[in-house]
Coordinates of all heavy atoms in Angstrom, one line a residue:
V555 N -42.1 27.1 27.6 CA -43.5 26.7 27.3 C -44.3 27.6 28.3 O -44.0 27.7 29.5 CB -43.7 25.2 27.6 CG1 -45.2 24.9 27.5 CG2 -42.9 24.4 26.6
T556 N -45.3 28.2 27.8 CA -46.1 29.1 28.6 C -47.6 28.8 28.4 O -48.1 28.6 27.2 CB -45.8 30.6 28.1 OG1 -44.4 30.8 28.2 CG2 -46.5 31.6 29.0
V557 N -48.4 28.9 29.4 CA -49.8 28.6 29.4 C -50.4 29.9 28.8 O -50.3 31.0 29.4 CB -50.4 28.3 30.7 CG1 -51.9 28.2 30.7 CG2 -49.8 27.0 31.3
P558 N -51.2 29.8 27.7 CA -51.7 31.0 27.1 C -53.0 31.4 27.8 O -53.6 30.6 28.5 CB -52.0 30.5 25.6 CG -52.4 29.1 25.8 CD -51.5 28.6 26.9
P559 N -53.5 32.7 27.5 CA -54.8 33.1 28.0 C -55.9 32.3 27.2 O -55.6 31.6 26.2 CB -54.9 34.5 27.6 CG -53.9 34.7 26.5 CD -52.8 33.7 26.7
K560 N -57.1 32.4 27.6 CA -58.2 31.7 27.0 C -58.3 32.0 25.5 O -58.5 31.1 24.7 CB -59.5 32.1 27.6 CG -60.7 31.4 27.1 CD -62.0 31.7 27.9 CE -63.2 31.0 27.3 NZ -64.4 31.3 28.1
Y561 N -58.0 33.2 25.1 CA -58.1 33.6 23.7 C -56.8 34.4 23.3 O -56.3 35.2 24.0 CB -59.3 34.5 23.3 CG -60.6 33.7 23.5 CD1 -61.4 34.1 24.6 CD2 -61.0 32.7 22.6 CE1 -62.6 33.4 24.8 CE2 -62.2 32.0 22.8 CZ -63.0 32.4 23.9 OH -64.2 31.7 24.0
L562 N -56.3 34.1 22.1 CA -55.3 34.9 21.4 C -55.8 35.3 20.1 O -56.9 34.9 19.7 CB -54.0 34.2 21.3 CG -53.2 33.9 22.6 CD1 -52.1 32.9 22.4 CD2 -52.7 35.2 23.2
Y563 N -55.1 36.2 19.4 CA -55.6 36.8 18.1 C -54.6 36.7 17.0 O -53.4 36.8 17.3 CB -56.1 38.2 18.3 CG -57.1 38.3 19.4 CD1 -56.8 38.4 20.8 CD2 -58.5 38.1 19.1 CE1 -57.7 38.4 21.8 CE2 -59.5 38.1 20.1 CZ -59.1 38.2 21.4 OH -60.0 38.2 22.4
H564 N -55.1 36.6 15.8 CA -54.2 36.5 14.6 C -54.7 37.5 13.6 O -55.8 37.4 13.1 CB -54.1 35.1 14.0 CG -53.2 35.0 12.9 ND1 -51.8 34.9 13.0 CD2 -53.4 35.0 11.5 CE1 -51.3 34.9 11.8 NE2 -52.2 34.9 10.9
G565 N -53.9 38.5 13.3 CA -54.2 39.5 12.2 C -53.6 39.1 10.9 O -52.4 38.6 10.9
T566 N -54.4 39.2 9.9 CA -53.9 38.9 8.5 C -54.7 39.7 7.5 O -55.5 40.5 7.9 CB -54.0 37.4 8.2 OG1 -53.3 37.1 7.0 CG2 -55.5 36.9 8.2
G567 N -54.4 39.5 6.2 CA -55.1 40.2 5.2 C -56.3 39.5 4.7 O -56.4 38.2 4.7
Q568 N -57.4 40.2 4.3 CA -58.6 39.6 3.8 C -58.3 38.6 2.7 O -59.0 37.5 2.6 CB -59.5 40.7 3.2 CG -60.8 40.3 2.6 CD -61.8 39.7 3.6 OE1 -62.0 40.3 4.6 NE2 -62.4 38.6 3.3
K569 N -57.3 38.8 1.9 CA -57.0 37.9 0.8 C -56.6 36.5 1.3 O -56.6 35.5 0.5 CB -55.9 38.4 -0.1 CG -54.6 38.7 0.7 CD -53.6 39.4 -0.2 CE -52.4 39.9 0.7 NZ -51.5 40.8 0.0
Y570 N -56.3 36.3 2.6 CA -55.9 35.0 3.1 C -57.0 34.2 3.8 O -56.8 33.1 4.2 CB -54.7 35.1 4.0 CG -53.5 35.7 3.4 CD1 -53.0 36.9 3.8 CD2 -52.9 35.1 2.4 CE1 -51.9 37.5 3.3 CE2 -51.7 35.7 1.8 CZ -51.3 36.9 2.2 OH -50.2 37.4 1.6
V571 N -58.2 34.8 3.9 CA -59.3 34.2 4.6 C -59.7 32.8 4.1 O -59.9 31.9 4.8 CB -60.5 35.2 4.7 CG1 -61.8 34.5 5.2 CG2 -60.2 36.4 5.6
E572 N -59.9 32.7 2.8 CA -60.3 31.5 2.2 C -59.3 30.3 2.5 O -59.7 29.3 2.9 CB -60.5 31.6 0.7 CG -61.0 30.4 0.0 CD -61.1 30.5 -1.5 OE1 -61.4 31.6 -2.0 OE2 -60.8 29.5 -2.2
S573 N -58.1 30.6 2.4 CA -57.0 29.6 2.7 C -57.0 29.2 4.2 O -57.0 28.1 4.5 CB -55.7 30.1 2.3 OG -54.6 29.3 2.7
I574 N -57.1 30.2 5.0 CA -57.1 30.0 6.5 C -58.4 29.2 6.9 O -58.3 28.3 7.7 CB -57.0 31.3 7.3 CG1 -55.6 31.9 7.1 CG2 -57.3 31.1 8.8 CD1 -55.5 33.3 7.6
N575 N -59.5 29.5 6.3 CA -60.7 28.8 6.6 C -60.7 27.4 6.2 O -61.4 26.5 6.8 CB -61.9 29.5 6.0 CG -62.3 30.8 6.7 OD1 -61.8 31.1 7.8 ND2 -63.1 31.6 6.0
R576 N -59.8 27.1 5.3 CA -59.7 25.7 4.8 C -58.6 25.0 5.5 O -58.7 23.8 5.9 CB -59.4 25.8 3.3 CG -59.6 24.5 2.5 CD -59.5 24.7 1.0 NE -58.1 25.0 0.6 CZ -57.7 26.2 0.1 NH1 -58.6 27.1 -0.1 NH2 -56.4 26.4 -0.2
L577 N -57.4 25.6 5.7 CA -56.2 25.0 6.3 C -55.9 25.3 7.7 O -55.0 24.6 8.3 CB -55.0 25.4 5.4 CG -55.0 25.1 3.9 CD1 -53.8 25.7 3.2 CD2 -55.1 23.6 3.7
G578 N -56.5 26.3 8.3 CA -56.2 26.8 9.6 C -54.9 27.7 9.4 O -54.6 28.1 8.3
L579 N -54.3 28.0 10.5 CA -53.1 28.9 10.5 C -51.9 28.0 10.5 O -51.7 27.1 11.4 CB -53.1 29.8 11.7 CG -54.2 30.8 11.8 CD1 -54.1 31.6 13.2 CD2 -54.1 31.8 10.7

């Protein structure tokens, strides 16, 4: 178990934005 930095990032395709905005990652 590791303490993360303040922010991390997730790269994906534009086609998944609607689903992610609804369900999260």
Side-chain angles (χ1 to χ4, degrees):
V555 172
T556 306
V557 175
K560 184 176 181 178
Y561 296 108
L562 291 169
Y563 302 90
H564 181 79
T566 190
Q568 176 71 44
K569 60 188 170 191
Y570 300 116
V571 167
E572 184 182 323
S573 173
I574 292 169
N575 288 346
R576 201 174 63 250
L577 302 173
L579 297 173

